[in-house]
Amino acid sequence: MRLLIAEDSVILRDGLVALLTRRGHDVVGAVGDGEALCAELAALAPERRPDVVIIDIRMPPTFTDEGLHAALTIRAQDPSQGVLLFSQYVETRFAAQLLTGDARGVGYLLKDRVADVSDFLDALERIAAGHTVLDPEVVTQLMGAAHDDDGLARLSPRERQVLELMAQGRSNSAIAELLVLSYGAVEKNVSSIFTKLDLPQDAGDHRRVLAVLRMLNA
């Protein structure tokens, strides 16, 4: 993969560059703030465009939401650009802002909860492939904020588990393995989620994204 990094911590930024390069990936740039990120991305030749941009949320000058604004700008200019928010904080309103609309190719992971390098790389690959990937803690807080949605309230505990894993970008096969269910049982749960959330039959695979967005926007 080609990757572009925006992280104000020099140690973490250099560490990510070294880690990703050592694993055979091409880091096309590494900067320390959102403004530099947008400039770096704009300056890259088309053949050097990154598959995923890794962005910290809180960066200079105010250390509040500069990374989010950079991510929103990047996605507005190119909705197909893969973006991973990589933060120390659970900011559910930030996740909702970024995921409103077409959430394919968007991720939000918490730095302190990434304990396995292979899981981090797997998340990057899924984002590059157009999946939505959210940290389980982010999903838990989003689900807690979604209690007023009648459709979500109708979901069974198992269906909520399945929806949480869908929000993490997991395929039906991966969900079946994680929950120790048959593939057919997962399909039935996913179908039931779509029905209870009144998602249109003609939405195709995009219904998975719509289901996650329903949870985010409740």
Side-chain angles (χ1 to χ4, degrees):
M1 289 180 290
R2 287 186 304 276
L3 303 163
L4 176 59
I5 300 169
E7 166 61 59
D8 66 284
S9 168
V10 175
I11 293 175
L12 181 54
R13 184 170 70 241
D14 289 350
L16 281 172
V17 171
L19 169 68
L20 294 167
T21 302
R22 189 164 60 247
R23 292 300 182 103
H25 300 293
D26 182 8
V27 178
V28 298
V31 299
D33 61 72
E35 184 176 342
L37 170 64
C38 292
E40 183 82 9
L41 188 60
L44 288 172
E47 65 273 12
R48 296 288 290 161
R49 296 278 295 188
D51 298 299
V52 181
V53 181
I54 303 170
I55 310 174
D56 187 15
I57 289 178
R58 300 184 180 185
M59 292 190 291
T62 68
F63 295 95
T64 54
D65 56 2
E66 286 81 4
L68 170 71
H69 286 293
L72 292 171
T73 297
I74 290 167
R75 291 282 291 190
Q77 294 172 347
D78 181 4
S80 67
Q81 174 63 62
V83 169
L84 168 63
L85 291 180
F86 194 40
S87 176
Q88 290 179 294
Y89 311 96
V90 179
E91 305 275 11
T92 54
R93 65 187 180 91
F94 290 162
Q97 278 185 267
L98 185 59
L99 291 162
T100 297
D102 189 346
R104 287 171 290 190
V106 172
Y108 188 158
L109 296 180
L110 299 178
K111 294 175 181 177
D112 293 343
R113 288 171 52 85
V114 177
D116 193 298
V117 172
S118 62
D119 289 342
F120 179 64
L121 296 175
D122 177 64
L124 288 173
E125 289 172 358
R126 285 187 280 138
I127 293 167
H131 298 292
T132 305
V133 179
L134 301 177
D135 185 279
E137 181 60 27
V138 175
V139 174
T140 297
Q141 295 204 25
L142 290 170
M143 292 289 282
H147 63 276
D148 292 331
D149 185 295
D150 290 340
L152 290 166
R154 290 196 297 270
L155 298 182
S156 69
R158 175 65 79 189
E159 288 163 353
R160 292 177 74 86
Q161 280 185 307
V162 171
L163 181 55
E164 288 183 17
L165 291 170
M166 288 167 59
Q168 295 172 36
R170 304 291 181 179
S171 66
N172 285 2
S173 296
I175 293 172
E177 182 177 351
L178 288 166
L179 297 182
V180 194
L181 296 172
S182 69
Y183 184 85
V186 173
E187 282 192 319
K188 288 180 180 178
N189 277 284
V190 171
S191 178
S192 179
I193 290 169
F194 292 157
T195 299
K196 290 180 179 180
L197 297 184
D198 298 318
L199 296 176
Q201 290 288 335
D202 59 358
D205 290 340
H206 189 52
R207 284 197 293 175
R208 298 178 78 87
V209 177
L210 293 175
V212 173
L213 288 175
R214 178 71 168 273
M215 177 182 70
L216 294 175
N217 294 326

